[in-house]
Amino acid sequence: MIATLQINDVSKTFNNENEKVHVLDNINLSVKNGDFLSVIGPSGCGKSTLLKLIAGLDLDYEGNIVVGSQEVNGPSKERGFIFQEHRLFPWLTVEKNIAGNLSLKDSDTRKKVDDLISLVNLKGFEKAYPRQLSGGMSQRVAIARALLRNPEILLLDEPFGALDAFTRSHLQEALIDIWGKNKTTMVLVTHDIDEAIFLSSRVIVMDAKPGRIKANVTIDLPYPRRRTSKSFQEFRTVILNHLDHKAEDAEDWSI
């Protein structure tokens, strides 16, 4: 498969007033077309920073990042970004939030928006405003909005972190369904070990201070996955071991 994302020798340093903070160190990573990659690691390991570099939101780093055939030199419609907060426009309806600056009077846009509303299971809520939606529904709108322009890669920065456990589990299943139907390459940053295993074809485990790739774990479990299965628990143990956490000492992790 063609690599949708190629990260080559990427390092990142923040210059604070009194010191330099080395956040990322020599990151090398290749993500194939249609892959679902999760990045997990302790706080401060540079997970979200790496996602912002891929998105082109920060260009002050060493090395280079290529998406498709183009080196990243700024934000692009080829890279959709989902934040932890949905960031919908409160004065726009669901369908208009998804359409953004595109006109719903255009037949092609209208069809794409309608198809995406069906894809994220929001039929009947086209005319609803964000204040009328639950947190999980709002995140579905955000996902649909990011998919409208058919990005080569969808970047997700802990998109379910602020949701209750039931809604988070429901949206994880919805995201797998969207990924299975759309085959968009996805890169997810998460603190949740179970979420990473449940969703991903591959999990990157990072070390902190500075952030380095510690392990690259292929999750070769068939979909749909059961969190209670023996094989699922074995992958959880593998990742915890890479994180240098014993299972009984894992309070800092969502497991």
Side-chain angles (χ1 to χ4, degrees):
M1 277 189 177
I2 298 172
T4 294
L5 170 65
Q6 189 71 46
I7 300 172
N8 303 307
D9 302 318
V10 165
S11 296
K12 169 69 180 177
T13 300
F14 285 111
N15 295 307
N16 293 338
E17 288 185 4
N18 300 318
E19 63 176 339
K20 291 185 176 182
V21 180
H22 194 30
V23 181
L24 295 171
D25 183 59
N26 196 37
I27 303 295
N28 287 278
L29 184 62
S30 179
V31 182
K32 293 180 179 178
N33 186 33
D35 207 358
F36 196 134
L37 183 85
S38 284
V39 182
I40 196 164
S43 295
C45 72
K47 302 184 298 295
S48 292
T49 297
L50 180 60
L51 212 64
K52 289 173 183 175
L53 300 187
I54 298 169
L57 300 176
D58 183 348
L59 300 177
D60 183 18
Y61 61 90
E62 298 176 17
N64 76 309
I65 300 173
V66 178
V67 173
S69 59
Q70 299 294 318
E71 185 169 351
V72 172
N73 56 17
S76 167
K77 67 178 183 179
E78 303 303 328
R79 280 160 273 131
F81 202 108
I82 306 293
F83 297 91
Q84 185 169 340
E85 307 85 19
H86 56 74
R87 302 191 181 187
L88 302 182
F89 297 113
W91 58 87
L92 296 181
T93 62
V94 165
E95 60 185 8
K96 289 182 178 178
N97 261 290
I98 294 172
N101 62 352
L102 301 179
S103 173
L104 288 168
K105 293 180 180 179
D106 176 76
S107 59
D108 186 50
T109 300
R110 174 85 263 175
K111 183 179 187 311
K112 286 180 180 177
V113 169
D114 288 345
D115 288 347
L116 284 167
I117 286 173
S118 295
L119 184 67
V120 299
N121 292 321
L122 284 175
K123 263 306 197 191
F125 292 91
E126 296 89 339
K127 307 295 183 184
Y129 289 89
R131 66 179 181 276
Q132 299 171 309
L133 306 177
S134 67
M137 293 168 75
S138 295
Q139 277 297 53
R140 290 189 189 199
V141 177
I143 292 170
R145 180 174 60 187
L147 290 172
L148 178 66
R149 288 161 177 79
N150 196 28
E152 289 189 40
I153 184 168
L154 186 61
L155 307 166
L156 305 104
D157 192 4
E158 299 192 62
F160 311 138
L163 303 174
D164 64 84
F166 179 81
T167 303
R168 184 166 62 245
S169 177
H170 186 64
L171 272 185
Q172 288 167 357
E173 293 177 4
L175 186 61
I176 280 292
D177 185 51
I178 291 166
W179 176 64
K181 291 175 179 175
N182 227 42
K183 295 303 180 186
T184 301
T185 305
M186 297 196 182
V187 178
L188 168 78
V189 161
T190 181
H191 275 97
D192 190 328
I193 295 170
D194 277 8
E195 179 171 81
I197 299 168
F198 184 77
L199 293 173
S200 313
S201 49
R202 213 162 30 116
V203 176
I204 298 298
V205 182
M206 291 188 67
D207 211 354
K209 298 179 182 179
R212 298 187 178 100
I213 293 178
K214 192 173 186 181
N216 190 334
V217 182
T218 298
I219 310 295
D220 54 357
L221 298 175
Y223 295 97
R225 295 171 177 173
R226 291 188 301 113
R227 292 174 171 83
T228 55
S229 71
K230 181 181 177 181
S231 52
F232 193 103
Q233 299 304 314
E234 288 171 348
F235 275 112
R236 176 198 273 187
T237 301
V238 166
I239 292 173
L240 280 170
N241 286 340
H242 282 305
L243 291 162
D244 288 333
H245 279 57
K246 295 179 181 178
E248 62 268 24
D249 296 329
E251 304 97 302
D252 294 335
W253 296 93
S254 299
I255 63 172

